[in-house]
Structures are given as C-alpha cells and as structure tokens.
Amino acid sequence: MNAPAAAPIKLSEQLASRMNGQGLARRLVAGTGGEVLFDAGSRGRYSTDASIYQVEPIGVFVPRTERDVEIAIEIAREMGVPILPRGGGTSQCGQTVGEALVIDYSKYLNQVVEFDAAAMTVTVQPGIVLDHLNAWLKPHGVWFPVDVSTAAQCTIGGMAGNNSCGSRSLAYGNMVHNVVAIDAILSDGTEARFQDERLMEDAPPRVRELMSGLRAIAVREQDEIARMVPKVMRRVGGYNIDIWHPQSERPYTEDGSVNLAHLLVGSEGTLAVTKRVVLKVLPLPKHKTLGVVNFPTFHQAMDMTRHIVKLGPVAVELVDRTMIELARDNPAFRPVIEKALIGAPDAILLVEFAGESLDEQKAGLARLVALMAELGLPGSVVEMVDANAQKALWEVRKAGLNIMMSMRGDGKPVSFIEDCAVPLEHLAEYTSALTEVFARYGTRGTWYAHASVGTLHVRPILDLRRDGAEKMRAIAEEAGALVRKYKGAFSGEHGDGLVRSEWVAWQFGPRLLRAFEEIKGLFDPAGLMNPGKIVRSTRMDDKSLFRYKPGYQPANLRPALDWSAWDVQVDPVTEQSTAPGLGGDPAGGFAKAVDMCNNNGHCRKFDAGTMCPSYRVTKDEQHLTRGRANTLRLALSGQLGEDGFTSETMRETLDLCVSCKGCKRDCPTGVDMARMKTEFLYHYQKKHGLSRKDKLIANLPRWAPWAARLPWLANLRDTVPGAARLSEKLLGLSARRSLPGWRLDTFLAGVKAPSLAPEQADVVLFADTFNNYFESENAAAALQVLQAAGYKVHVARAASLDAEPARPLCCGRTYLASGLVDEAKAEARRVVEALRPYVARGLPVVGLEPSCLLTLRDEFLVMGLGRDAELLGAQALLFEEFLAREHAAGKLKLTLKALPEARALLHGHCHQKAFDAVRPVQTVLGLVPGLKVELIESSCCGMAGSFGYEAKHYEVSMQMAELSLLPAVRAAGADTVLVADGTSCRHQIADGAQREAVHVARVLARALS
C-alpha cells in the first residue's frame, strides 16, 4: 500500500511573524472577554493531545461567551489565522494540535442550554463533558448513550468532531446516529442550524448555496460512494459523504432522510465551528448484568465473539492479558480486576445485558453461561449482578488506554492502526494475521475495546525516539492490506487527525478524495478551519511533528530523589526490563517519569477521587496534572529556554499543586506530581533560595522544642491585635487564618509509657511533630487505645547515638515541601536509625498523621537509605490500618461502647486516599456499636500543609474546601461526630465551618468501656 504524500500545511514566515503573540493577542484582549494565552508555557501545554504529535499553536483563546467565539472567528478571518476548536484535548490521532489559534471551549462553554422531555432531546454547548451531561440528565431518567471510555474528560464537541462511538455502540450506534442538529459558524461568519435538510428551507443564502453544491457532489459520486465507502458501522474516516446514499449497516436516520448535521459529525473542526449541539437522549436502562468470560487463549476470545453477540448484549468488550497484568500493578485497579478472573486467562470479554427487567438480564447471563459450556468453556463466566461491582470493572476497562500507557521505558503502545474495523466473522483471522505482522517487526500489540463491532484497539509497542517511525509506516501498510482484504475500515473510531488523514485517499480512492476536498472548499474556501486534517494532510511519520522529534534530549540533571525505577528499557516482545538506571535518561530517570503522562486527560475528571484539586477550582490547563507534566517535559528538554526547568514559568505552573498525591493513585499511568514538585523545588531553591516564610515552615521541627517551652510567646501572633496582619505582610501568612496553637504539655514530654526494648514491645508508636506539639491529645488517645487492646507500646524516640537525641523524631515532611531534600534525608536517617532494632524484630510502626507516617512508605524509599528504609516502609502503618489489620486477623481485643452520636461523618486525608487507607478508618469506626459511618466524597480539603495558610493561596484553598467538604460538614447535625485524621483537614473544617473534627483515635478512646 502506497499512500500519497502531501505537502505539510505551514504558515508563511511573514504570517508567522505577524502572529507572533502581538497583533492577534491584542485584538482578542480588546475585543472579547475571554482569556488570551500566548505565552510560551501556554502554547507549549496546548501543543499536544493524546497522540504522538506536538505542534505549537499560534496562541490559545478561552472564550467566556458564545459571542466571544464569534468575535474570535471574525478577527482570525480578517488576519488570515487558522482556527482549531478544542475540548478536552484527548484526541489520539492529533486532531487538536496544529499551527492555529486554539479555541478551548471546555472552561466556560459547557452548559446544558435546553432539555425537551417530549422530544427526548437535549441542547448543549460543545464544551460540556459527557459525564457531566449524563449527571445532569440522570434525575430526568434519561442519558446520552455514546459512552466512550474517556467520558469523564471528553467533551460533546470533541465527540461530535471525531464521530465517537463507545462501548455500547452495538446497541446505540455512533455519535452520528445520535446527533439531531448542530448550530455552526462558518469561516466567513455565517451561522446556521445544520439539521434535517427539510427543515433548512429558511437557511441563509450562503448555506442554501452550500447545500446545493453538496448535493451535486453526492449525485455525481453516487456510484463511487457505493464502490468505495466501507459497509461497516464503525467507519469514521473522511467526511460522511454517504448521508445521501447510506452505506453503513446502521442507517444514519430511521426514515432515510438526509440530515446535514451528520456531515459535520466526524469532520474534526475542518468545516465549521460548533456553537451548540442537539442530541437524542434515551431512557436509562433500569437493570444491567455483566458476564465476564475468561478465555485460555486470545484467539478463542476473538473467535467466539461472533457467537456471543447473537445473545443480544449491549456491549462485548475485550481486555487482553497485558492490560490484565498492568491493572494488577495499579493499586486502584488490582482488587477489581482480580474479582473478574478465573485462573490466569489470556483474555476476558465483558458481556453486558441491559433493559427494563432484571429477570430478563439474569436470563441473558444464564444464556451466556450455557453458550460458553456448549463452546467448550464451562465454568468460564464470572457473573456480576451487583451494580457497584459492574461499575468498578467498567472503570478498569475504561482506563484501558491509560493502563497500557503505564509501561515504563521509551517503547510505548502507539496509536495509528488501533481503530481498524473488520466484519465480525473475520475478527479472529484478522487479529492473528496482525499479530504475525507485529512479530516480523520485533514487537507485539496490546489489545482491548469493542469486540462486539469488530473494532479492537491495538497498539504495537514502538520506540519513536529511535526506529519506531519506520516500523510504524511499514506496519500501517501491512495492516491496511489486511483491512482491505477483509473489507473493513481503516479508521473505525478515533478519526483521522495527523496520523490517519494521509490514508483517506487509500481508503476512499482519488475520486472521493477530490470530492472531500471540494466539500472542504465549499465550507471553508479560505482553508482556515483546522488545516491539515482529513484533506491536504501531512505524512503520518513526519518526524518534525512528533512530540519526541529527532534529537530530542532531556537535560543532564542530577536528581535529588531516586528516579532510577523509570530509567529502564523494556523489550516489547519478551517484556524483560533492563535494571533500573540503565535506560539512558540523562536526567537519572526523572525525565522518563515525567514522560509517563500520555496526555489522555484522566486528571480532568470531576466525579470521584482526589485528582486534581486545583484544576477543579481553576479549570486551567496550567493547574492540571497533565499541564504540569507537559510543562516539566518542555522545560527539561530545553523547549522553554536554557533555564526553563528552574524558571518562574515552571514555578508558577507548580504553585497550586498541593502535593495531594491524588495522581499517584488516580492517574492510571502513575504520574506522581507531588514527588515531581519536590524534585523541582530542590533545584529551584538551589538557584533562587527560600523566602523567610518557607525557611520558617521548613525548619519547624528544629525550632519547635523552643516554641513549646514558651507557648504564650509563640502564640502571640493570634492573640495580639494587628499581629496577624503583620505576619501576612512580613511572611505571607494569611491574616484570615488562625495558626495551630503551641502548648507546654506536649505528648512526648508527658507520655506515661516507659521506653521498651525491642524484645519487650508489640508495637511502636511514632508521634509526629504536629500530634506532639499541637494536638497531643490525639497521640495520647492512640496510646490509650493500643494499651487498652493489650499491646505493649514503645513510643519512638531518637537513638542515643543521635547528634540531637533530645529532639523528637521527624519524618522531614516540612523540608520536602520546600525542596530541602538534603535536610529531609537527615531527618529520615534519624528515624531509620532509631527504629532499626524494632523493625528488625518485625514490629509495626504506627503513626497518626497521614502525611507524616506515609512519608515512611513513600519518600523514604527514594532517598538512598537502603534496605533499612525499605523494611521500615513495609512495617509502617497508620493507627487505623494497624487496628483494621489486627481486627481482620481476629487479634484485636478492644471492647467499645456506644457513643452519644449516632453518626460519624468521615473526611479522608489526600494521602490516605492515595494509599487506599480510608477504608481502614471506616472499618475501625464501624467497631463502635450503633455508629453509622458515612464518607464525604471529597477531593483535597484545600489546606495541604502550609498551602492554605498562605495569603496568596487562601482563596483557592477555600474554593477547594467549598467543592464538597464544607457543605457536607455544615449539613451535619449535632448527632454527628466529624472525623478527619489530617491536622490540616481538621483546621480547615474549624476555619471554614466552625465545627470541630477529631482524629479517629479520639473517637475510639471515648468509646472505650
């Protein structure tokens, strides 16, 4: 297969110079109310999507109103500037990158405009996220059923642009089957509603002329359309020229009418800019069941799919062995995927039945079980009727792409043939043949997705920094030949973009390519709408457009933390990895860790989890895990200037990162921005130094003993009139915040427990700085509970050989928060030395403050402290984790009585969530007789150590708290005990809701009999 090469679309040097952030930006600022982002950092962040490409835009415009969009198009037209509409920026083929003015709809133009229950339609702005739309629709008993895997972050505008499909397209069709109308703006400013052509008699003259031209093309090319357009439903390449002569096995409309909105669907913003979209909605299915079929071989899964679809399921989705194993490696997904497995399958199929009757759906499951027995696989089906279990497994499947991209090393699963669709009867043969193709090029593919409609997302593992581009083209040519052999579609779901547009001519032939070019010319004669996509495209392997271009090289960097685990190379066939540190990263693995972000935008989700709290408030790409990772990558590779990594731009980008570690757990590729921020701060402070405030907070563990001796003096800031305002002026600490109160009766000074030798103790209690100096009642309560349960408790103290044996042990968290990694390592060594003999005997080390104790399980392991730190991390437990573990083992002997309160409302600390340590709190609270435990579904409380105390962060801090935490606390009645294990969380609740929250240890201490 030899696809025609096309010349890249490039701006002239004169135009590029004229557009260099000057005239265009000034006119947008003067003429609109939107946000105008033309700085290098913003352009860099919008230069990528979830594809392999990177093209810097001219600038970014974030409109606040629909009128802003109209004005921006007018200005761009007058200046000859290309326009690129963008939603979530999650396109996998490069649709949303280009040398143009990017218009980001997602921040403001994201509302439901109208809901018509009688007509079963909803009208929305293009920036609304699919999950948000369905959450809005749910109280009305309806939903929009094109349920793509990126539903938590993709926008309706982007879905319309790509003609998205989703897991249940077998039952509900593609996006094109569910769009009723599109209100669009043409490049010349003409506005019209594109809909059923019978309703467009009053369209503007420009649009009526357009309609006439389009129909003439369709009539002329009718025979060629019938000959060249694939007959499969999963065909989203080119333009939908067959709306006049439908070729798909599923008609565009029920009555055979022509709807011109369907021509815009899948056009990737190359024909018009979407203003509003009218969608069909359907009643929510009342009941669902899920059968998970386990297959010994991948080929069996593919071969038997054609039999399974005859049972009438709404979805049949594939998860292959690679994805299963990667899901097992993710702490968030491991318990979910393991419940779906029988033995060690090579692949599983998720088979869903849905409808009005639960009995009917159960019967569907029974038929599936019987069918698999008939096909020679009895006992291969895991039956799931529980809705929560089904939802959890679907979340793993939806995260499939990101899970697969969590592979370490430069070789990654690359998207370029992943959406080829073939008729179902050829699916097994096609996948076997393609697997052989991969083997010939020294790689293998990762498979998942829509077995029910013959579209399997397959990504061969290639290293585009080396010889991957050449292999990509060769594999694409052979895959294309297979697709043609089986009469399939080369582009079956994710569209054309930069990676597949050059294959449009191959798929549809030269006549239809010319017809597509005519259609483009009729809509957009000036060629300003997202140029270079679908027609007049670049080559898929144009390396100048790659994210990792020839010569790409991160800077030489000596990292403060150990990132060697990411500095590896992995053989794509054998899956064998080199030893850590041998991956060739000049940044010691730090750059490769940053590169783990694949831009899929999972961090944009709002519905669950912790990630990403600052983005939930600002909705700015800069304050998103993806935006931060992209900025770090650009800085490390010199694309933000020689000193980009330690620049003010980089500091501002990470400024609102609260180090919640939500991404450590929620990001399927494991991007740990909290640790990355620590690394950045280490280098930044080395160059720029620390402020007075940062020095004061970082060194808190060192001066704390002196403050505790004179607490009245240390507390003057909150008692002397005007002192708080002075502290804000001098140190930047918000006058609207009270500070933690120092006290004379610290825990360690008054503890009534002897120091025990390792052989005498059952457990070690680690009292952190905050629970020692500020809230000693928590540590005292924990000691009381542990002793009441019969444990012999050793309270951790500095080793006798320590240079500062009188100073309490400290995890070093305050130093890490300021980038003082060397000082944090010194504190860590003190802890390791003091606890070594107890750890050596296998004693659990129990702590109270999540951010402190969990540092022993996280940062301690990347400080070069050796085996001792690893053993300590393995035995370090939060107070509630220890009790829950003992309870599960039947060893906990704790007698508790009922409390006056009937309800416990629990807010989990971010680090508890990151380490799956919230459930143990629920478990131990549940031991209190009659106490009903409810969890607040919240992200970060907004305090995040010193973050919320700072004047410059106060407003953002409170906005984070107001998202869910504070409203839930205010709604709690007097019969509710508020529980929060984090010091900062309790302070935020006190400041924001004037309610006291307590540590779980205090609740249990009150309940002791």
Side-chain angles (χ1 to χ4, degrees), residues 643-659:
D643 297 320
F645 181 52
T646 53
S647 66
E648 192 62 19
T649 295
M650 195 69 253
R651 189 201 64 78
E652 290 174 357
T653 298
L654 289 169
D655 183 50
L656 296 189
C657 172
V658 293
S659 298

Side-chain angles (χ1 to χ4, degrees), residues 681 723 809:
L681 288 173
L809 296 174

Side-chain angles (χ1 to χ4, degrees), residues 211-490:
M211 293 168 61
S212 176
L214 292 170
R215 180 168 285 279
I217 294 172
V219 171
R220 186 189 74 211
E221 302 295 345
Q222 181 174 354
D223 292 344
E224 190 72 355
I225 290 170
R227 188 173 75 90
M228 295 300 296
V229 173
K231 306 300 189 286
V232 295
M233 182 178 71
R234 285 304 193 92
R235 188 269 300 164
V236 300
Y239 295 127
N240 294 325
I241 195 172
D242 63 326
I243 60 173
W244 288 275
H245 313 292
Q247 301 300 306
S248 172
E249 58 195 30
R250 188 186 189 106
Y252 288 106
T253 58
E254 294 179 1
D255 61 0
S257 59
V258 175
N259 188 323
L260 286 175
H262 296 163
L263 186 61
L264 295 182
V265 173
S267 65
E268 302 183 358
T270 63
L271 302 182
V273 171
T274 299
K275 188 174 180 179
R276 294 180 180 179
V277 187
V278 184
L279 306 168
K280 295 178 185 178
V281 294
L282 294 174
L284 276 165
K286 289 185 179 178
H287 299 285
K288 296 179 182 179
T289 59
L290 184 65
V292 185
V293 188
N294 288 248
F295 292 92
T297 70
F298 181 83
H299 187 273
Q300 285 175 301
M302 297 298 91
D303 185 49
M304 295 181 185
T305 297
R306 56 197 170 101
H307 303 294
I308 293 173
V309 296
K310 295 176 183 178
L311 299 177
V314 298
V316 182
E317 295 287 292
L318 168 72
V319 177
D320 80 344
R321 179 180 60 85
T322 299
M323 184 172 157
I324 290 171
E325 294 306 317
L326 289 170
R328 277 175 159 163
D329 291 339
N330 186 300
F333 297 140
R334 184 185 307 116
V336 177
I337 193 69
E338 289 184 345
K339 290 179 182 177
L341 304 180
I342 299 173
D346 203 43
I348 59 176
L349 289 178
L350 279 58
V351 184
E352 181 179 276
F353 300 90
E356 294 295 302
S357 166
L358 180 58
D359 288 339
E360 288 181 8
Q361 312 325 313
K362 287 182 177 179
L365 268 187
R367 291 195 300 273
L368 177 64
V369 171
L371 173 65
M372 298 317 300
E374 291 173 13
L375 294 173
L377 292 177
S380 62
V381 182
V382 175
E383 300 178 58
M384 292 188 179
V385 178
D386 178 71
N388 290 329
Q390 293 179 53
K391 182 177 184 294
L393 188 57
W394 275 115
E395 289 301 315
V396 175
R397 156 57 194 93
K398 285 184 174 183
L401 168 63
N402 280 331
I403 290 174
M404 291 194 303
M405 296 302 288
S406 66
M407 293 180 180
R408 295 182 181 181
D410 292 341
K412 292 286 192 292
V414 178
S415 171
F416 62 101
I417 57 165
E418 77 169 357
D419 300 322
C420 298
V422 299
L424 211 54
E425 62 268 24
H426 300 305
L427 189 58
E429 190 177 350
Y430 167 71
T431 55
S432 294
L434 197 54
T435 298
E436 293 176 5
V437 171
F438 296 156
R440 282 200 297 275
Y441 291 98
T443 188
R444 64 182 174 87
T446 57
W447 304 81
Y448 74 108
H450 319 301
S452 59
V453 286
T455 300
L456 290 180
H457 295 337
V458 55
R459 293 189 170 202
I461 301 169
L462 300 173
D463 183 355
L464 293 179
R465 306 188 197 202
R466 294 175 177 83
D467 59 353
E470 291 75 19
K471 290 183 178 180
M472 178 171 69
R473 174 163 291 280
I475 291 172
E477 290 179 353
E478 294 205 37
L482 290 172
V483 170
R484 178 162 284 171
K485 174 183 176 182
Y486 297 120
K487 301 185 185 306
F490 194 70

Side-chain angles (χ1 to χ4, degrees), residues 802-859:
D802 195 319
E804 300 177 87
R807 186 166 65 82
L809 296 174
C810 172
C811 69
R813 170 59 52 191
T814 57
Y815 290 117
L816 290 171
S818 294
L820 298 176
V821 178
D822 294 333
E823 289 80 353
K825 288 180 180 179
E827 294 297 325
R829 289 190 189 95
R830 296 181 68 229
V831 174
V832 169
E833 287 295 326
L835 299 181
R836 179 185 286 114
Y838 298 90
V839 170
R841 291 188 63 86
L843 298 183
V845 177
V846 174
L848 300 169
E849 173 59 34
S851 63
C852 292
L853 186 282
L854 293 173
T855 300
L856 278 60
R857 298 217 307 246
D858 192 359
E859 287 85 357

Side-chain angles (χ1 to χ4, degrees), residues 757-780:
E759 61 274 12
Q760 297 174 314
D762 300 317
V763 62
V764 176
L765 179 61
F766 178 79
D768 58 88
T769 299
F770 306 102
N771 283 299
N772 178 44
Y773 290 106
F774 302 123
E775 296 181 90
S776 58
E777 61 272 14
N778 296 332

